[in-house]
Amino acid sequence: MESAENVHPAHPRRLPQTDRTRHRRLREQGRLDRDALDAVLAAGFVCHLGVTVDGTPLVVPTVYGADGDTLYFHGSVASRSLAASPGAPVCVTVTHVDGLVLARSVFEHGVNYRSAMVFGTPRPVTDPDEKLAGLRCLTEQAAPGQWDYARPPSRKELAATALLALSLDEASVKVRTGPPDDGDGPDAALGLWAGELPLHTSWGPLRPDPRLPTGIEPPPHLTARPTATADQGTSGGSPAPSHTAGPDPSGPCATPAP
């Protein structure tokens, strides 16, 4: 397992260390290269936003999109906090669980995971062009190609949508992979099975809206996704078995090919 201390300090994509991002526990799971942060963010579209509202800490799940050095996310709850306390910091986390680590002793059990924490003060996105670009980023992160397929938001819808932008300048990344750590210890003599129980996330077959008129086929950007085929998403189509699918290879906010 790569140690955070082994990353060369002159690496051009190195994550800066601050008091909030410094790895204090399980330092061998820490990652200091920016590519590791980009990979964690690109593999998902749901984050958890930690914010204080009216003196009460809240952790709110919301969708996000990563674009360069900026993380965009819906933030109606955070917007209330920013209005009451301008400059209030937040913490955004993204976590992917890749499996259970089943050891010979309960103490050595663990989880294989990829996780990122982003710290900073978000800013409300008010510029209409940036808000459109940010909302496109969110949409493309979850469903590449959907922004150009669906109707764009109206002015009224844009005005009713709270979008926040957070810099990726201050972030911490941790990753654990591999088997349990007790294979060379005294518990290895117990004769107990130990290993990993992988967890995979997969897309199921498309389910058409029951009110969808007959003959409207799902668009190619949806049928091309793993497990989604054209006959699964049409009206009256029969579902097919689900298969394992990894993160979308097109990356965050990527513009789909025509």
PDB file of all heavy atoms in Angstrom, residues 197-234:
ATOM      1  N   LEU A 197     -14.396  -9.059   1.080  1.00  0.00           N
ATOM      2  CA  LEU A 197     -15.714  -9.228   0.473  1.00  0.00           C
ATOM      3  C   LEU A 197     -15.973  -7.981  -0.365  1.00  0.00           C
ATOM      4  O   LEU A 197     -16.403  -6.947   0.149  1.00  0.00           O
ATOM      5  CB  LEU A 197     -16.793  -9.386   1.550  1.00  0.00           C
ATOM      6  CG  LEU A 197     -18.233  -9.561   1.050  1.00  0.00           C
ATOM      7  CD1 LEU A 197     -18.359 -10.808   0.170  1.00  0.00           C
ATOM      8  CD2 LEU A 197     -19.208  -9.623   2.216  1.00  0.00           C
ATOM      9  N   PRO A 198     -15.667  -8.035  -1.668  1.00  0.00           N
ATOM     10  CA  PRO A 198     -15.787  -6.844  -2.511  1.00  0.00           C
ATOM     11  C   PRO A 198     -17.237  -6.372  -2.639  1.00  0.00           C
ATOM     12  O   PRO A 198     -18.181  -7.168  -2.582  1.00  0.00           O
ATOM     13  CB  PRO A 198     -15.241  -7.305  -3.869  1.00  0.00           C
ATOM     14  CG  PRO A 198     -14.420  -8.521  -3.564  1.00  0.00           C
ATOM     15  CD  PRO A 198     -15.116  -9.182  -2.397  1.00  0.00           C
ATOM     16  N   LEU A 199     -17.385  -5.080  -2.805  1.00  0.00           N
ATOM     17  CA  LEU A 199     -18.693  -4.471  -3.032  1.00  0.00           C
ATOM     18  C   LEU A 199     -18.624  -3.686  -4.337  1.00  0.00           C
ATOM     19  O   LEU A 199     -17.756  -2.833  -4.508  1.00  0.00           O
ATOM     20  CB  LEU A 199     -19.070  -3.535  -1.883  1.00  0.00           C
ATOM     21  CG  LEU A 199     -20.362  -2.725  -2.047  1.00  0.00           C
ATOM     22  CD1 LEU A 199     -21.567  -3.662  -2.098  1.00  0.00           C
ATOM     23  CD2 LEU A 199     -20.514  -1.717  -0.911  1.00  0.00           C
ATOM     24  N   HIS A 200     -19.533  -4.006  -5.256  1.00  0.00           N
ATOM     25  CA  HIS A 200     -19.562  -3.341  -6.559  1.00  0.00           C
ATOM     26  C   HIS A 200     -20.890  -2.601  -6.726  1.00  0.00           C
ATOM     27  O   HIS A 200     -21.940  -3.104  -6.321  1.00  0.00           O
ATOM     28  CB  HIS A 200     -19.395  -4.347  -7.698  1.00  0.00           C
ATOM     29  CG  HIS A 200     -18.114  -5.118  -7.649  1.00  0.00           C
ATOM     30  ND1 HIS A 200     -16.897  -4.564  -7.956  1.00  0.00           N
ATOM     31  CD2 HIS A 200     -17.867  -6.411  -7.305  1.00  0.00           C
ATOM     32  CE1 HIS A 200     -15.942  -5.468  -7.809  1.00  0.00           C
ATOM     33  NE2 HIS A 200     -16.508  -6.600  -7.406  1.00  0.00           N
ATOM     34  N   THR A 201     -20.843  -1.449  -7.340  1.00  0.00           N
ATOM     35  CA  THR A 201     -22.051  -0.681  -7.656  1.00  0.00           C
ATOM     36  C   THR A 201     -22.369  -0.863  -9.135  1.00  0.00           C
ATOM     37  O   THR A 201     -21.469  -0.762  -9.977  1.00  0.00           O
ATOM     38  CB  THR A 201     -21.845   0.810  -7.360  1.00  0.00           C
ATOM     39  OG1 THR A 201     -21.531   0.977  -5.978  1.00  0.00           O
ATOM     40  CG2 THR A 201     -23.111   1.608  -7.682  1.00  0.00           C
ATOM     41  N   SER A 202     -23.624  -1.144  -9.444  1.00  0.00           N
ATOM     42  CA  SER A 202     -24.002  -1.369 -10.841  1.00  0.00           C
ATOM     43  C   SER A 202     -25.297  -0.637 -11.170  1.00  0.00           C
ATOM     44  O   SER A 202     -26.144  -0.420 -10.307  1.00  0.00           O
ATOM     45  CB  SER A 202     -24.170  -2.866 -11.118  1.00  0.00           C
ATOM     46  OG  SER A 202     -25.212  -3.399 -10.318  1.00  0.00           O
ATOM     47  N   TRP A 203     -25.416  -0.237 -12.421  1.00  0.00           N
ATOM     48  CA  TRP A 203     -26.662   0.362 -12.912  1.00  0.00           C
ATOM     49  C   TRP A 203     -27.622  -0.751 -13.301  1.00  0.00           C
ATOM     50  O   TRP A 203     -27.226  -1.729 -13.933  1.00  0.00           O
ATOM     51  CB  TRP A 203     -26.394   1.239 -14.134  1.00  0.00           C
ATOM     52  CG  TRP A 203     -25.573   2.461 -13.841  1.00  0.00           C
ATOM     53  CD1 TRP A 203     -24.271   2.678 -14.154  1.00  0.00           C
ATOM     54  CD2 TRP A 203     -26.014   3.643 -13.160  1.00  0.00           C
ATOM     55  NE1 TRP A 203     -23.863   3.915 -13.710  1.00  0.00           N
ATOM     56  CE2 TRP A 203     -24.918   4.539 -13.097  1.00  0.00           C
ATOM     57  CE3 TRP A 203     -27.230   4.032 -12.586  1.00  0.00           C
ATOM     58  CZ2 TRP A 203     -24.989   5.791 -12.499  1.00  0.00           C
ATOM     59  CZ3 TRP A 203     -27.311   5.276 -11.992  1.00  0.00           C
ATOM     60  CH2 TRP A 203     -26.198   6.136 -11.952  1.00  0.00           C
ATOM     61  N   GLY A 204     -28.884  -0.592 -12.955  1.00  0.00           N
ATOM     62  CA  GLY A 204     -29.899  -1.546 -13.370  1.00  0.00           C
ATOM     63  C   GLY A 204     -30.456  -1.179 -14.728  1.00  0.00           C
ATOM     64  O   GLY A 204     -30.055  -0.197 -15.350  1.00  0.00           O
ATOM     65  N   PRO A 205     -31.399  -1.980 -15.225  1.00  0.00           N
ATOM     66  CA  PRO A 205     -32.005  -1.693 -16.525  1.00  0.00           C
ATOM     67  C   PRO A 205     -32.858  -0.432 -16.466  1.00  0.00           C
ATOM     68  O   PRO A 205     -33.394  -0.072 -15.421  1.00  0.00           O
ATOM     69  CB  PRO A 205     -32.862  -2.930 -16.797  1.00  0.00           C
ATOM     70  CG  PRO A 205     -33.144  -3.489 -15.435  1.00  0.00           C
ATOM     71  CD  PRO A 205     -31.926  -3.210 -14.615  1.00  0.00           C
ATOM     72  N   LEU A 206     -32.965   0.242 -17.591  1.00  0.00           N
ATOM     73  CA  LEU A 206     -33.789   1.442 -17.676  1.00  0.00           C
ATOM     74  C   LEU A 206     -35.255   1.103 -17.414  1.00  0.00           C
ATOM     75  O   LEU A 206     -35.751   0.064 -17.858  1.00  0.00           O
ATOM     76  CB  LEU A 206     -33.660   2.071 -19.059  1.00  0.00           C
ATOM     77  CG  LEU A 206     -32.292   2.662 -19.415  1.00  0.00           C
ATOM     78  CD1 LEU A 206     -32.223   2.986 -20.895  1.00  0.00           C
ATOM     79  CD2 LEU A 206     -32.025   3.916 -18.587  1.00  0.00           C
ATOM     80  N   ARG A 207     -35.961   1.994 -16.701  1.00  0.00           N
ATOM     81  CA  ARG A 207     -37.384   1.827 -16.429  1.00  0.00           C
ATOM     82  C   ARG A 207     -38.128   3.020 -17.017  1.00  0.00           C
ATOM     83  O   ARG A 207     -38.007   4.136 -16.519  1.00  0.00           O
ATOM     84  CB  ARG A 207     -37.646   1.761 -14.923  1.00  0.00           C
ATOM     85  CG  ARG A 207     -37.053   0.546 -14.231  1.00  0.00           C
ATOM     86  CD  ARG A 207     -37.347   0.576 -12.750  1.00  0.00           C
ATOM     87  NE  ARG A 207     -36.751  -0.559 -12.045  1.00  0.00           N
ATOM     88  CZ  ARG A 207     -36.781  -0.717 -10.735  1.00  0.00           C
ATOM     89  NH1 ARG A 207     -37.377   0.201  -9.976  1.00  0.00           N
ATOM     90  NH2 ARG A 207     -36.223  -1.762 -10.173  1.00  0.00           N
ATOM     91  N   PRO A 208     -38.886   2.823 -18.061  1.00  0.00           N
ATOM     92  CA  PRO A 208     -39.583   3.951 -18.677  1.00  0.00           C
ATOM     93  C   PRO A 208     -40.698   4.479 -17.793  1.00  0.00           C
ATOM     94  O   PRO A 208     -41.304   3.742 -17.010  1.00  0.00           O
ATOM     95  CB  PRO A 208     -40.144   3.354 -19.975  1.00  0.00           C
ATOM     96  CG  PRO A 208     -40.266   1.893 -19.685  1.00  0.00           C
ATOM     97  CD  PRO A 208     -39.131   1.558 -18.762  1.00  0.00           C
ATOM     98  N   ASP A 209     -40.951   5.775 -17.891  1.00  0.00           N
ATOM     99  CA  ASP A 209     -42.081   6.398 -17.226  1.00  0.00           C
ATOM    100  C   ASP A 209     -43.360   5.711 -17.723  1.00  0.00           C
ATOM    101  O   ASP A 209     -43.561   5.579 -18.937  1.00  0.00           O
ATOM    102  CB  ASP A 209     -42.092   7.891 -17.585  1.00  0.00           C
ATOM    103  CG  ASP A 209     -43.193   8.671 -16.873  1.00  0.00           C
ATOM    104  OD1 ASP A 209     -44.182   8.062 -16.418  1.00  0.00           O
ATOM    105  OD2 ASP A 209     -43.068   9.913 -16.785  1.00  0.00           O
ATOM    106  N   PRO A 210     -44.264   5.265 -16.824  1.00  0.00           N
ATOM    107  CA  PRO A 210     -45.496   4.602 -17.275  1.00  0.00           C
ATOM    108  C   PRO A 210     -46.341   5.472 -18.205  1.00  0.00           C
ATOM    109  O   PRO A 210     -47.121   4.947 -18.999  1.00  0.00           O
ATOM    110  CB  PRO A 210     -46.242   4.313 -15.967  1.00  0.00           C
ATOM    111  CG  PRO A 210     -45.182   4.289 -14.914  1.00  0.00           C
ATOM    112  CD  PRO A 210     -44.151   5.290 -15.350  1.00  0.00           C
ATOM    113  N   ARG A 211     -46.191   6.792 -18.120  1.00  0.00           N
ATOM    114  CA  ARG A 211     -46.970   7.698 -18.974  1.00  0.00           C
ATOM    115  C   ARG A 211     -46.268   7.999 -20.286  1.00  0.00           C
ATOM    116  O   ARG A 211     -46.759   8.802 -21.087  1.00  0.00           O
ATOM    117  CB  ARG A 211     -47.248   8.995 -18.219  1.00  0.00           C
ATOM    118  CG  ARG A 211     -48.145   8.807 -16.993  1.00  0.00           C
ATOM    119  CD  ARG A 211     -48.092   9.989 -16.069  1.00  0.00           C
ATOM    120  NE  ARG A 211     -46.763  10.145 -15.472  1.00  0.00           N
ATOM    121  CZ  ARG A 211     -46.464  11.056 -14.554  1.00  0.00           C
ATOM    122  NH1 ARG A 211     -47.384  11.899 -14.139  1.00  0.00           N
ATOM    123  NH2 ARG A 211     -45.239  11.128 -14.066  1.00  0.00           N
ATOM    124  N   LEU A 212     -45.126   7.363 -20.536  1.00  0.00           N
ATOM    125  CA  LEU A 212     -44.383   7.607 -21.774  1.00  0.00           C
ATOM    126  C   LEU A 212     -45.142   7.009 -22.961  1.00  0.00           C
ATOM    127  O   LEU A 212     -45.508   5.826 -22.939  1.00  0.00           O
ATOM    128  CB  LEU A 212     -43.005   6.957 -21.666  1.00  0.00           C
ATOM    129  CG  LEU A 212     -41.963   7.327 -22.718  1.00  0.00           C
ATOM    130  CD1 LEU A 212     -41.536   8.782 -22.553  1.00  0.00           C
ATOM    131  CD2 LEU A 212     -40.754   6.405 -22.612  1.00  0.00           C
ATOM    132  N   PRO A 213     -45.401   7.815 -23.993  1.00  0.00           N
ATOM    133  CA  PRO A 213     -46.103   7.266 -25.170  1.00  0.00           C
ATOM    134  C   PRO A 213     -45.298   6.154 -25.827  1.00  0.00           C
ATOM    135  O   PRO A 213     -44.071   6.148 -25.801  1.00  0.00           O
ATOM    136  CB  PRO A 213     -46.226   8.481 -26.105  1.00  0.00           C
ATOM    137  CG  PRO A 213     -46.114   9.670 -25.209  1.00  0.00           C
ATOM    138  CD  PRO A 213     -45.172   9.275 -24.118  1.00  0.00           C
ATOM    139  N   THR A 214     -45.998   5.219 -26.404  1.00  0.00           N
ATOM    140  CA  THR A 214     -45.356   4.114 -27.100  1.00  0.00           C
ATOM    141  C   THR A 214     -44.512   4.637 -28.258  1.00  0.00           C
ATOM    142  O   THR A 214     -44.928   5.542 -28.982  1.00  0.00           O
ATOM    143  CB  THR A 214     -46.409   3.131 -27.623  1.00  0.00           C
ATOM    144  OG1 THR A 214     -47.200   2.654 -26.534  1.00  0.00           O
ATOM    145  CG2 THR A 214     -45.763   1.951 -28.334  1.00  0.00           C
ATOM    146  N   GLY A 215     -43.331   4.047 -28.407  1.00  0.00           N
ATOM    147  CA  GLY A 215     -42.488   4.397 -29.542  1.00  0.00           C
ATOM    148  C   GLY A 215     -41.365   5.359 -29.231  1.00  0.00           C
ATOM    149  O   GLY A 215     -40.503   5.582 -30.079  1.00  0.00           O
ATOM    150  N   ILE A 216     -41.372   5.958 -28.056  1.00  0.00           N
ATOM    151  CA  ILE A 216     -40.278   6.853 -27.690  1.00  0.00           C
ATOM    152  C   ILE A 216     -39.148   6.013 -27.097  1.00  0.00           C
ATOM    153  O   ILE A 216     -39.300   5.390 -26.044  1.00  0.00           O
ATOM    154  CB  ILE A 216     -40.729   7.926 -26.677  1.00  0.00           C
ATOM    155  CG1 ILE A 216     -41.808   8.820 -27.294  1.00  0.00           C
ATOM    156  CG2 ILE A 216     -39.537   8.766 -26.235  1.00  0.00           C
ATOM    157  CD1 ILE A 216     -42.285   9.930 -26.371  1.00  0.00           C
ATOM    158  N   GLU A 217     -38.038   5.989 -27.811  1.00  0.00           N
ATOM    159  CA  GLU A 217     -36.905   5.166 -27.402  1.00  0.00           C
ATOM    160  C   GLU A 217     -35.957   5.956 -26.499  1.00  0.00           C
ATOM    161  O   GLU A 217     -35.839   7.175 -26.615  1.00  0.00           O
ATOM    162  CB  GLU A 217     -36.133   4.691 -28.642  1.00  0.00           C
ATOM    163  CG  GLU A 217     -36.968   3.914 -29.647  1.00  0.00           C
ATOM    164  CD  GLU A 217     -37.359   2.545 -29.122  1.00  0.00           C
ATOM    165  OE1 GLU A 217     -36.610   2.014 -28.281  1.00  0.00           O
ATOM    166  OE2 GLU A 217     -38.401   2.022 -29.536  1.00  0.00           O
ATOM    167  N   PRO A 218     -35.255   5.276 -25.592  1.00  0.00           N
ATOM    168  CA  PRO A 218     -34.255   5.964 -24.773  1.00  0.00           C
ATOM    169  C   PRO A 218     -33.095   6.428 -25.644  1.00  0.00           C
ATOM    170  O   PRO A 218     -32.760   5.780 -26.635  1.00  0.00           O
ATOM    171  CB  PRO A 218     -33.823   4.897 -23.768  1.00  0.00           C
ATOM    172  CG  PRO A 218     -34.148   3.604 -24.417  1.00  0.00           C
ATOM    173  CD  PRO A 218     -35.359   3.843 -25.263  1.00  0.00           C
ATOM    174  N   PRO A 219     -32.475   7.541 -25.308  1.00  0.00           N
ATOM    175  CA  PRO A 219     -31.378   8.080 -26.121  1.00  0.00           C
ATOM    176  C   PRO A 219     -30.117   7.230 -26.011  1.00  0.00           C
ATOM    177  O   PRO A 219     -29.928   6.496 -25.028  1.00  0.00           O
ATOM    178  CB  PRO A 219     -31.166   9.477 -25.531  1.00  0.00           C
ATOM    179  CG  PRO A 219     -31.647   9.371 -24.122  1.00  0.00           C
ATOM    180  CD  PRO A 219     -32.789   8.406 -24.148  1.00  0.00           C
ATOM    181  N   PRO A 220     -29.241   7.326 -26.996  1.00  0.00           N
ATOM    182  CA  PRO A 220     -28.025   6.492 -27.008  1.00  0.00           C
ATOM    183  C   PRO A 220     -27.126   6.685 -25.792  1.00  0.00           C
ATOM    184  O   PRO A 220     -26.471   5.743 -25.352  1.00  0.00           O
ATOM    185  CB  PRO A 220     -27.310   6.930 -28.293  1.00  0.00           C
ATOM    186  CG  PRO A 220     -28.394   7.461 -29.177  1.00  0.00           C
ATOM    187  CD  PRO A 220     -29.385   8.093 -28.242  1.00  0.00           C
ATOM    188  N   HIS A 221     -27.088   7.909 -25.221  1.00  0.00           N
ATOM    189  CA  HIS A 221     -26.185   8.103 -24.089  1.00  0.00           C
ATOM    190  C   HIS A 221     -26.640   7.327 -22.854  1.00  0.00           C
ATOM    191  O   HIS A 221     -25.851   7.093 -21.941  1.00  0.00           O
ATOM    192  CB  HIS A 221     -26.051   9.599 -23.761  1.00  0.00           C
ATOM    193  CG  HIS A 221     -27.274  10.239 -23.197  1.00  0.00           C
ATOM    194  ND1 HIS A 221     -28.251  10.798 -23.987  1.00  0.00           N
ATOM    195  CD2 HIS A 221     -27.692  10.423 -21.910  1.00  0.00           C
ATOM    196  CE1 HIS A 221     -29.217  11.293 -23.225  1.00  0.00           C
ATOM    197  NE2 HIS A 221     -28.899  11.077 -21.964  1.00  0.00           N
ATOM    198  N   LEU A 222     -27.916   6.921 -22.830  1.00  0.00           N
ATOM    199  CA  LEU A 222     -28.406   6.078 -21.736  1.00  0.00           C
ATOM    200  C   LEU A 222     -28.285   4.596 -22.060  1.00  0.00           C
ATOM    201  O   LEU A 222     -27.914   3.792 -21.207  1.00  0.00           O
ATOM    202  CB  LEU A 222     -29.854   6.422 -21.407  1.00  0.00           C
ATOM    203  CG  LEU A 222     -30.100   7.829 -20.847  1.00  0.00           C
ATOM    204  CD1 LEU A 222     -31.579   8.044 -20.563  1.00  0.00           C
ATOM    205  CD2 LEU A 222     -29.285   8.056 -19.574  1.00  0.00           C
ATOM    206  N   THR A 223     -28.601   4.220 -23.284  1.00  0.00           N
ATOM    207  CA  THR A 223     -28.514   2.809 -23.650  1.00  0.00           C
ATOM    208  C   THR A 223     -27.071   2.336 -23.700  1.00  0.00           C
ATOM    209  O   THR A 223     -26.801   1.126 -23.588  1.00  0.00           O
ATOM    210  CB  THR A 223     -29.176   2.552 -25.010  1.00  0.00           C
ATOM    211  OG1 THR A 223     -28.541   3.364 -26.016  1.00  0.00           O
ATOM    212  CG2 THR A 223     -30.663   2.898 -24.964  1.00  0.00           C
ATOM    213  N   ALA A 224     -26.139   3.265 -23.861  1.00  0.00           N
ATOM    214  CA  ALA A 224     -24.727   2.888 -23.924  1.00  0.00           C
ATOM    215  C   ALA A 224     -24.126   2.627 -22.547  1.00  0.00           C
ATOM    216  O   ALA A 224     -23.041   2.052 -22.440  1.00  0.00           O
ATOM    217  CB  ALA A 224     -23.920   3.981 -24.633  1.00  0.00           C
ATOM    218  N   ARG A 225     -24.830   3.019 -21.500  1.00  0.00           N
ATOM    219  CA  ARG A 225     -24.301   2.792 -20.156  1.00  0.00           C
ATOM    220  C   ARG A 225     -24.399   1.313 -19.802  1.00  0.00           C
ATOM    221  O   ARG A 225     -25.273   0.605 -20.303  1.00  0.00           O
ATOM    222  CB  ARG A 225     -25.065   3.628 -19.127  1.00  0.00           C
ATOM    223  CG  ARG A 225     -25.022   5.109 -19.408  1.00  0.00           C
ATOM    224  CD  ARG A 225     -25.404   5.928 -18.210  1.00  0.00           C
ATOM    225  NE  ARG A 225     -24.311   5.993 -17.243  1.00  0.00           N
ATOM    226  CZ  ARG A 225     -24.213   6.937 -16.308  1.00  0.00           C
ATOM    227  NH1 ARG A 225     -25.137   7.868 -16.217  1.00  0.00           N
ATOM    228  NH2 ARG A 225     -23.204   6.944 -15.471  1.00  0.00           N
ATOM    229  N   PRO A 226     -23.526   0.806 -18.953  1.00  0.00           N
ATOM    230  CA  PRO A 226     -23.562  -0.620 -18.599  1.00  0.00           C
ATOM    231  C   PRO A 226     -24.930  -1.038 -18.082  1.00  0.00           C
ATOM    232  O   PRO A 226     -25.537  -0.333 -17.274  1.00  0.00           O
ATOM    233  CB  PRO A 226     -22.506  -0.737 -17.497  1.00  0.00           C
ATOM    234  CG  PRO A 226     -21.569   0.395 -17.772  1.00  0.00           C
ATOM    235  CD  PRO A 226     -22.414   1.519 -18.304  1.00  0.00           C
ATOM    236  N   THR A 227     -25.432  -2.153 -18.561  1.00  0.00           N
ATOM    237  CA  THR A 227     -26.698  -2.819 -18.235  1.00  0.00           C
ATOM    238  C   THR A 227     -27.909  -2.156 -18.875  1.00  0.00           C
ATOM    239  O   THR A 227     -28.975  -2.721 -18.863  1.00  0.00           O
ATOM    240  CB  THR A 227     -26.979  -2.900 -16.718  1.00  0.00           C
ATOM    241  OG1 THR A 227     -27.456  -1.644 -16.235  1.00  0.00           O
ATOM    242  CG2 THR A 227     -25.743  -3.320 -15.950  1.00  0.00           C
ATOM    243  N   ALA A 228     -27.777  -0.960 -19.427  1.00  0.00           N
ATOM    244  CA  ALA A 228     -28.925  -0.297 -20.040  1.00  0.00           C
ATOM    245  C   ALA A 228     -28.892  -0.519 -21.542  1.00  0.00           C
ATOM    246  O   ALA A 228     -27.996  -0.062 -22.225  1.00  0.00           O
ATOM    247  CB  ALA A 228     -28.904   1.199 -19.730  1.00  0.00           C
ATOM    248  N   THR A 229     -29.878  -1.252 -22.087  1.00  0.00           N
ATOM    249  CA  THR A 229     -29.958  -1.497 -23.517  1.00  0.00           C
ATOM    250  C   THR A 229     -31.263  -0.939 -24.048  1.00  0.00           C
ATOM    251  O   THR A 229     -32.193  -0.664 -23.295  1.00  0.00           O
ATOM    252  CB  THR A 229     -29.884  -3.003 -23.829  1.00  0.00           C
ATOM    253  OG1 THR A 229     -30.982  -3.654 -23.193  1.00  0.00           O
ATOM    254  CG2 THR A 229     -28.582  -3.602 -23.305  1.00  0.00           C
ATOM    255  N   ALA A 230     -31.324  -0.783 -25.345  1.00  0.00           N
ATOM    256  CA  ALA A 230     -32.466  -0.101 -25.950  1.00  0.00           C
ATOM    257  C   ALA A 230     -33.780  -0.794 -25.617  1.00  0.00           C
ATOM    258  O   ALA A 230     -34.776  -0.147 -25.325  1.00  0.00           O
ATOM    259  CB  ALA A 230     -32.275  -0.032 -27.466  1.00  0.00           C
ATOM    260  N   ASP A 231     -33.823  -2.138 -25.659  1.00  0.00           N
ATOM    261  CA  ASP A 231     -35.097  -2.817 -25.432  1.00  0.00           C
ATOM    262  C   ASP A 231     -35.478  -2.835 -23.955  1.00  0.00           C
ATOM    263  O   ASP A 231     -36.593  -3.157 -23.606  1.00  0.00           O
ATOM    264  CB  ASP A 231     -35.046  -4.243 -25.980  1.00  0.00           C
ATOM    265  CG  ASP A 231     -33.981  -5.090 -25.296  1.00  0.00           C
ATOM    266  OD1 ASP A 231     -33.135  -4.518 -24.587  1.00  0.00           O
ATOM    267  OD2 ASP A 231     -34.014  -6.307 -25.489  1.00  0.00           O
ATOM    268  N   GLN A 232     -34.549  -2.463 -23.063  1.00  0.00           N
ATOM    269  CA  GLN A 232     -34.888  -2.415 -21.646  1.00  0.00           C
ATOM    270  C   GLN A 232     -35.615  -1.135 -21.288  1.00  0.00           C
ATOM    271  O   GLN A 232     -36.358  -1.094 -20.327  1.00  0.00           O
ATOM    272  CB  GLN A 232     -33.610  -2.511 -20.808  1.00  0.00           C
ATOM    273  CG  GLN A 232     -32.916  -3.868 -20.908  1.00  0.00           C
ATOM    274  CD  GLN A 232     -31.524  -3.816 -20.321  1.00  0.00           C
ATOM    275  OE1 GLN A 232     -31.127  -2.814 -19.738  1.00  0.00           O
ATOM    276  NE2 GLN A 232     -30.778  -4.889 -20.484  1.00  0.00           N
ATOM    277  N   GLY A 233     -35.372  -0.059 -22.041  1.00  0.00           N
ATOM    278  CA  GLY A 233     -35.908   1.226 -21.634  1.00  0.00           C
ATOM    279  C   GLY A 233     -37.133   1.671 -22.390  1.00  0.00           C
ATOM    280  O   GLY A 233     -37.719   2.693 -22.071  1.00  0.00           O
ATOM    281  N   THR A 234     -37.552   0.952 -23.411  1.00  0.00           N
ATOM    282  CA  THR A 234     -38.730   1.345 -24.162  1.00  0.00           C
ATOM    283  C   THR A 234     -39.983   0.951 -23.414  1.00  0.00           C
ATOM    284  O   THR A 234     -39.965   0.131 -22.498  1.00  0.00           O
ATOM    285  CB  THR A 234     -38.726   0.673 -25.553  1.00  0.00           C
ATOM    286  OG1 THR A 234     -38.641  -0.739 -25.372  1.00  0.00           O
ATOM    287  CG2 THR A 234     -37.526   1.145 -26.366  1.00  0.00           C
TER     288      THR A 234
END
